[in-house]
Amino acid sequence: MKTARLNPPTDILKSVSVNGRNLPDNAFSAAVSLTFRTGCGNMRTSTLFSLLRSGQVKAACGQFTRWVWSGGKVLPGLETRAGNEKALCEDGLK
């Protein structure tokens, strides 16, 4: 019996590099947090992921605050978490 391989968020993000280098640690950690929250499929097709893949890390960090919706409503808890993820992503960028 063949089992499906799950793609944990870290598998998706390990392929992302910036100018041939891996993402900064904090940007990677923030992206993993968002991916656990939103799901791998949503992350793969997101503007944030596209920006990371193209090396635009600072612009990608600005995308975290867009991920605050659930059930058609903005949730205060998601606003807080997204703000924390954005701050983590931006920490240490030049």
Side-chain angles (χ1 to χ4, degrees):
M1 180 171 160
K2 190 174 186 179
T3 57
R5 182 177 184 279
L6 297 177
N7 293 319
T10 53
D11 282 356
I12 295 168
L13 296 168
K14 282 180 183 174
S15 66
V16 176
S17 65
V18 179
N19 299 327
R21 294 172 289 156
N22 291 334
L23 284 174
D25 287 341
N26 287 344
F28 180 82
S29 296
V32 168
S33 176
L34 176 67
T35 305
F36 270 109
R37 185 160 58 91
T38 63
C40 294
N42 290 326
M43 184 64 163
R44 274 192 200 115
T45 59
S46 70
T47 300
L48 188 148
F49 188 66
S50 295
L51 290 168
L52 289 176
R53 290 191 55 90
S54 68
Q56 300 176 60
V57 178
K58 187 169 181 135
C61 292
Q63 292 285 309
F64 281 92
T65 54
R66 297 183 64 203
W67 294 84
V68 296
W69 294 83
S70 180
K73 298 177 185 176
V74 174
L75 299 182
L78 292 180
E79 286 182 306
T80 300
R81 183 164 176 176
N84 291 338
E85 290 165 340
K86 178 183 177 187
L88 178 62
C89 183
E90 293 174 336
D91 186 43
L93 293 181
K94 294 177 184 175

